[in-house]
Amino acid sequence: MTLLRPAGAAALLAVPLLVALWLWDRRRRVVDVPTLLFWRQLPAAPATARRLPTDPLFLLELALVLALAAGYLRPALPTDAARGSSLVVVLDVSASMGAREAAGTRFALARRRARALIAERAEEVMLVAAAERPRVALRWTDDAALVLSTLETLEPLDVAGDLTPALALALAEARVRPGARVAVFTDLPRAAAGVAPDELAALHWVQIGRTDDNVAIASLAVDAPPFHDRAEATATVVVRNHGARPRRARLEGSVGGVAWEYRELTLAARAAETLVLAHPPAAGELDVTLVADDALPADDVARAWVPERAPPRLVVVAESAALAPVLRALPGARVEVVTPAAWAAAPAADADVVVFDEVAPATGVVNALWVAPPPGSGPCPSDGEVTGAAVVDWEDDHPALAGLDGLEATPVARARRLVAPEWAAPVVLAAAAGRTFPLLVAGERDGRRTACLGASLDGALGTSDGLPLLLLTLGTLGWLADAGAPLVVDTGTPVIAGPGVVAAPGLRVAGDVVVAERAGTYRVGARLLLANLLDDHESDIGRDGGGEWAPAVVLAASAGAAGARELGAWLYAVAAALLALEWLVWLRRRA
């Protein structure tokens, strides 16, 4: 017998309290009599009259209190799971486990070894898959057929791995089953476990894989200047040889189904080469393929998007036309200036982008930029105006900042302190009077893109100091004009794709958030999602010191460990029955 909550013994104090209440009740009981004449002749009550009550109602209450207190102590009986037959299997399913070795892929070898270990002496098994996050593939079960069938369904994903959270989960599950073991199957060395030394010593670690033969597409970026013709777009590709020997490969690129580039590459050991593809022959999905016949195919293909840039129609809603001349300088842009009253009377629903310059009319436009939005503007809340601000931080990888070398200490003469709404994220931060606030926030909801720029542009149009803000504004307009373009993401990275997205093989969906677990092209609602495995750490598949390490120590069980069958539920059921019986006895006595 084991007590899983020893501190619950304090509940037994209810027993002497119950006895004291009964004794007190008996001493204070009052009986009305017509005279004390005969009572005076009675001998005094013997001392034994104050012994423990034997009233059936008291005994039922005492049994009820004892049952509740015992249930709170969580008594448990040892089970077979407590005899060291429980096993948590952690399988690394990150992309590098798909690398080919002489005898098969690393994952196939790991699954084969896991199957043998389970068959040796595991009567109860739990399966944990470790990728960018841990996932319980199978809860504790003693069904051997179910364990083996679930094991066969697991495959490596095209995502970067993070083994530490999965190990923490496995260790926590094993600690509540005394004697349980944790077996880890991965291509990473034990030094990458990220757990305490005593926990590492308790792990059965199996490291699989030695080859370093891999050439990968390390990066793919498309530079399509806003409001410029599609032919001016370029694609920059970085190809890296992760092996210790020189390697030859062929790079093939196509866009919109039309062949674009063909290059023969010779890469030195551990070297990288950068290629720039210019003058795309078409617009659409860009596919770059590396023909190398290496050990890991998952990083030999990358996807991006080359937009077809049509001359945009911009509508500026403002009391002043100061911003219009700058926008009219954009190549092919059609700029129209309307007053807030005219906009309220007839909104231009066919505009590509609408710019609200320091005005806040009600709007239902598709894509809009709010410049220095006044208080009360619904999409762009703010909490005051400041002067003498400066840019302090920004998101380098946001498309609105593409082409900007940097915004260090860019002065902002007058600005609104924006507050990022739930649907948007800060892109540029500024500071004034020791307080940091969002200067540019941008986001997408219901298929619409909206950006809020807290800086006022009226005093910056004709100054060199204002040039970075104008470039930021133009970049933001280009991002707004590209609304509806495909989402280009890294595998394993959550992105908001909007409601109504349906899960597909390789695509995990939770509400309006999607995660691509396989590199490829997906349809998410009305848009495309292009997912790539671009991760140097995952592509660098070379490993040293592979082998198998049996656990050196037994994993310490946590306080109140399971591995036992709890009796608390039965005791609470007995308490419920005693309560019902006590109630019946009280009703009969009252009758």
Side-chain angles (χ1 to χ4, degrees):
M1 176 76 70
T2 304
L3 298 180
L4 302 184
R5 189 185 286 134
L12 295 174
L13 294 176
V15 174
L17 179 62
L18 176 65
V19 174
L21 288 175
W22 267 85
L23 294 175
W24 178 261
D25 183 68
R26 293 182 62 184
R27 290 182 60 189
R28 293 181 57 86
R29 189 171 299 167
V30 177
V31 179
D32 294 329
V33 295
T35 178
L36 298 177
L37 177 63
F38 302 106
W39 289 82
R40 290 172 181 166
Q41 300 177 12
L42 293 175
T48 55
R50 298 179 63 182
R51 66 180 181 271
L52 190 68
T54 57
D55 188 292
L57 194 58
F58 167 77
L59 296 178
L60 286 173
E61 290 180 357
L62 180 62
L64 172 61
V65 170
L66 288 173
L68 290 174
Y72 189 68
L73 283 167
R74 293 180 62 192
L77 296 174
T79 64
D80 290 339
R83 299 173 189 166
S85 61
S86 298
L87 177 66
V88 186
V89 175
V90 179
L91 275 167
D92 187 346
V93 295
S94 62
S96 63
M97 290 294 287
R100 293 190 294 260
E101 300 286 341
T105 66
R106 293 178 180 179
F107 189 81
L109 298 174
R111 181 165 49 196
R112 189 182 311 163
R113 182 65 187 94
R115 191 186 302 118
L117 187 62
I118 292 171
E120 285 177 13
R121 55 183 185 278
E123 297 180 8
E124 188 180 30
V125 177
M126 177 178 181
L127 298 179
V128 177
E132 87 286 1
R133 66 179 185 89
R135 179 174 63 88
V136 177
L138 183 65
R139 298 294 308 176
W140 288 108
T141 181
D142 57 2
D143 187 338
L146 178 60
V147 172
L148 294 179
S149 63
T150 304
L151 196 60
E152 291 301 318
T153 63
L154 295 177
E155 292 290 344
L157 304 174
D158 298 339
V159 299
D162 187 359
L163 203 56
T164 303
L167 295 181
L169 171 64
L171 288 167
E173 287 285 344
R175 281 196 185 94
V176 297
R177 279 172 162 75
R181 298 161 295 137
V182 177
V184 185
F185 299 87
T186 179
D187 61 352
L188 295 175
R190 300 173 75 215
V195 298
D198 58 330
E199 295 175 327
L200 181 60
L203 298 177
H204 189 144
W205 196 278
V206 181
Q207 182 185 350
I208 298 170
R210 299 298 298 272
T211 183
D212 65 354
D213 180 24
N214 189 40
V215 182
I217 298 176
S219 174
L220 173 61
V222 172
D223 181 16
F227 309 109
H228 285 70
D229 186 76
R230 173 255 304 164
E232 298 185 42
T234 60
T236 303
V237 187
V238 178
V239 180
R240 192 180 307 278
N241 177 16
H242 293 278
R245 297 181 303 169
R247 200 66 163 74
R248 295 180 62 87
R250 183 173 70 251
L251 183 78
E252 299 175 354
S254 64
V255 58
V258 180
W260 183 3
E261 197 72 43
Y262 178 97
R263 301 269 186 98
E264 292 288 347
L265 306 175
T266 300
L267 299 168
R270 310 293 294 180
E273 185 170 339
T274 300
L275 302 95
V276 177
L277 314 183
H279 308 298
E285 181 177 340
L286 167 61
D287 294 303
V288 177
T289 303
L290 199 59
V291 182
D293 191 26
D294 55 9
L296 185 63
D299 54 14
D300 290 343
V301 179
R303 302 155 187 84
W305 185 260
V306 177
E308 181 69 74
R309 291 276 169 73
R313 182 192 175 198
L314 305 179
V315 174
V316 180
V317 182
E319 299 289 357
S320 167
L323 190 58
V326 177
L327 300 182
R328 288 194 177 102
L330 297 174
R334 297 170 294 156
V335 181
E336 177 183 351
V337 181
V338 299
T339 64
W343 171 264
D350 58 343
D352 294 307
V353 179
V354 178
V355 180
F356 296 101
D357 188 11
E358 301 196 38
V359 296
T363 178
V365 297
V366 176
N367 306 298
L369 170 63
W370 300 69
V371 178
S377 58
C380 305
S382 61
D383 65 353
E385 183 175 301
V386 296
T387 57
V391 174
V392 294
D393 197 9
W394 59 91
E395 294 291 337
D396 289 324
D397 56 353
H398 195 280
L401 274 62
L404 285 177
D405 293 333
L407 298 171
E408 296 95 340
T410 298
V412 183
R414 183 168 62 92
R416 293 279 178 186
R417 287 196 303 258
L418 299 178
V419 177
E422 293 183 358
W423 52 268
V427 179
V428 178
L429 298 179
R435 180 177 175 183
T436 302
F437 59 92
L439 184 69
L440 174 66
V441 299
E444 188 170 345
R445 55 177 178 172
D446 302 329
R448 298 180 301 175
R449 284 183 176 179
T450 302
C452 309
L453 179 63
S456 175
L457 298 177
D458 55 356
L461 295 178
T463 66
S464 59
D465 288 343
L467 181 60
L469 286 179
L470 286 177
L471 294 177
L472 176 62
T473 303
L474 298 181
T476 305
L477 290 173
W479 174 75
L480 292 167
D482 285 340
L487 297 168
V488 182
V489 301
D490 292 334
T491 54
T493 302
V495 292
I496 299 177
V501 179
V502 179
L507 191 69
R508 190 172 73 246
V509 178
D512 59 354
V513 177
V514 300
V515 178
E517 296 180 324
R518 301 275 186 190
T521 302
Y522 302 91
R523 173 67 64 178
V524 289
R527 300 177 67 178
L528 290 178
L529 185 144
L530 311 177
N532 299 312
L533 172 64
L534 303 174
D535 188 283
D536 278 341
H537 183 268
E538 206 63 32
S539 296
D540 190 2
I541 62 173
R543 303 289 186 258
D544 292 325
E548 183 168 350
W549 293 264
V553 298
V554 177
L555 184 66
S558 60
R565 182 172 290 107
E566 291 195 37
L567 304 179
W570 292 100
L571 290 169
Y572 288 139
V574 170
L578 288 172
L579 180 62
L581 183 59
E582 178 192 355
W583 182 68
L584 291 175
V585 170
W586 180 80
L587 287 179
R588 291 191 60 183
R589 179 173 297 182
R590 185 179 180 187

